[in-house]
Structures are given as C-alpha cells and as structure tokens.
Amino acid sequence: MSLTTKLEAVNTMLGVIGESPVNTIVGSSLPVSVVTALNVLNEVNREVQSEGWHYNTEFEYPLVRDTANKFVLPNNVLKIDTPIEKYTDIDIVQRGSTLYDRKNHTDVFTQDLDVTITFELTFEELPQQFRSYITIRAARKFANRFLGSQEIESFTLRDEVVSKATAVESDSENADRTIFDNYDVRRVIDR
C-alpha cells in the first residue's frame, strides 16, 4: 500500500462531483475544476495543519537572530510562541515573516530564543492518516462550492468525521503524551 499522492487526492475530489480523473495536476492548461480542486486542497491542508499537530510542531526550537538582532522566520511557519514559564519578559507574535515583541513594542531582540513552532508541511510530507483526512475534508468543501449539493455534503461529512478521528488517534499515539506534559500539572509538581 502506498501513500496518497496529491494527484490521487485531486482525483478523489473530482470523483465526488462526478468528474473523470485526470492524469496530471501540473501545467498551464488544466481544467477549471482541477485548478479549483487544487486550490481547495491547499487551503484545507493549511487549515488543518494550522491546528498544530505532533508531526508539524516542534518544542524548544532554537531561533537565532540575524545581524540586525531580528528574527526572520521560514516561509512555512504557521504558529509560533515562547514558553511562558521560560520567557516572562516578552510576548512574541508573528508579523509577516518576522517576530515582534508586543510586551516591549519592538522587533529587535537581545537574545536568541527557544520557541514552540508549527510548520506547514507539503502534502507529500504528511502522515497517511492526515492525507486521508485532508483529502476527504477538501472533497466535501469542493463539492459544496462546486455543486452546492447538500446530499453529497452529508455523505462526505460522515466520512470526514471518521477520517478525522483516525488522524487524531494516530497523532496522539505518536505524541506519547502523559499527564506530566501538561503545564498546570508540572507547575503543581515543581512546587
């Protein structure tokens, strides 16, 4: 069994609205339905990954300042924050492709940071459970936008719920979380 490709995901989406599959999703002369399907797939991919999952979130990720003492972020950053227990004197937010300190009203920093960061991965980098979930969710949204059919949406919504449950279960198993991973629990224990 192989992993779902982006082409297979688009063909699944096209199948939901009753269109024939395509052989490629690359090129400048793609049908409107294929371009729309790709756009919806990319939108849903970003939307799902923005939630922050075990596979795309890194903790204590080291950020190094540039020569102007600013942090320039990679293009695929979806969310970023600092651990409150480690950095009480700053409150960072992402502004475009740089970091800004809301507490001190500046984008210039005096030290490098260890952050919690969520990256947007390409479809091909995703675990299979999330490829399936994103494909089914995108197919439902695509069918709703393209056809506006309530019947198709209700069928795919059931599939989406099952697919999301599988993805969440897979992510939770890989995360190896325990009760001690919770900040409030750690705070009580460290008293």
Side-chain angles (χ1 to χ4, degrees), residues 96-149:
S97 62
T98 61
L99 279 188
Y100 182 79
D101 180 1
R102 293 176 351 124
K103 197 170 204 175
N104 298 301
H105 313 287
T106 184
D107 62 352
V108 176
F109 292 83
T110 58
Q111 64 181 345
D112 294 339
L113 300 174
D114 293 326
V115 298
T116 300
I117 192 166
T118 301
F119 292 104
E120 178 183 7
L121 306 178
T122 65
F123 189 80
E124 292 75 17
E125 294 175 295
L126 301 178
Q128 176 57 38
Q129 296 81 359
F130 281 89
R131 291 181 192 206
S132 296
Y133 170 50
I134 289 167
T135 298
I136 292 169
R137 183 177 176 126
R140 180 183 61 78
K141 286 186 163 194
F142 174 67
N144 191 31
R145 290 180 191 174
F146 212 79
L147 299 176
S149 170

Side-chain angles (χ1 to χ4, degrees), residues 12-173:
T12 298
M13 295 168 70
L14 293 172
V16 168
I17 65 166
E19 288 207 10
S20 299
V22 294
N23 294 326
T24 184
I25 53 174
V26 180
S28 59
S29 61
L30 296 172
V32 173
S33 58
V34 174
V35 172
T36 304
L38 278 168
N39 289 339
V40 172
L41 183 64
N42 291 334
E43 170 191 323
V44 170
N45 185 18
R46 187 174 303 110
E47 180 183 294
V48 168
Q49 289 192 57
S50 290
E51 293 180 43
W53 300 91
H54 178 68
Y55 70 85
N56 72 335
T57 301
E58 296 195 28
F59 300 93
E60 297 181 23
Y61 184 87
L63 280 184
V64 179
R65 294 165 291 152
D66 65 10
T67 56
N69 286 325
K70 297 182 180 191
F71 291 104
V72 179
L73 302 173
N75 292 334
N76 64 336
V77 172
L78 295 171
K79 284 193 307 193
I80 189 166
D81 201 5
T82 52
I84 193 166
E85 65 273 8
K86 187 171 183 178
Y87 300 103
T88 57
D89 57 337
I90 60 173
D91 178 20
I92 65 162
V93 293
Q94 180 178 352
R95 291 203 175 160
S97 62
T98 61
L99 279 188
Y100 182 79
D101 180 1
R102 293 176 351 124
K103 197 170 204 175
N104 298 301
H105 313 287
T106 184
D107 62 352
V108 176
F109 292 83
T110 58
Q111 64 181 345
D112 294 339
L113 300 174
D114 293 326
V115 298
T116 300
I117 192 166
T118 301
F119 292 104
E120 178 183 7
L121 306 178
T122 65
F123 189 80
E124 292 75 17
E125 294 175 295
L126 301 178
Q128 176 57 38
Q129 296 81 359
F130 281 89
R131 291 181 192 206
S132 296
Y133 170 50
I134 289 167
T135 298
I136 292 169
R137 183 177 176 126
R140 180 183 61 78
K141 286 186 163 194
F142 174 67
N144 191 31
R145 290 180 191 174
F146 212 79
L147 299 176
S149 170
Q150 295 298 332
E151 285 180 6
I152 291 176
E153 184 170 2
S154 66
F155 287 130
T156 55
L157 184 58
R158 283 183 284 202
D159 292 339
E160 181 183 333
V161 169
V162 170
S163 182
K164 182 174 185 180
T166 302
V168 168
E169 181 181 348
S170 168
D171 193 68
S172 295
E173 286 176 3

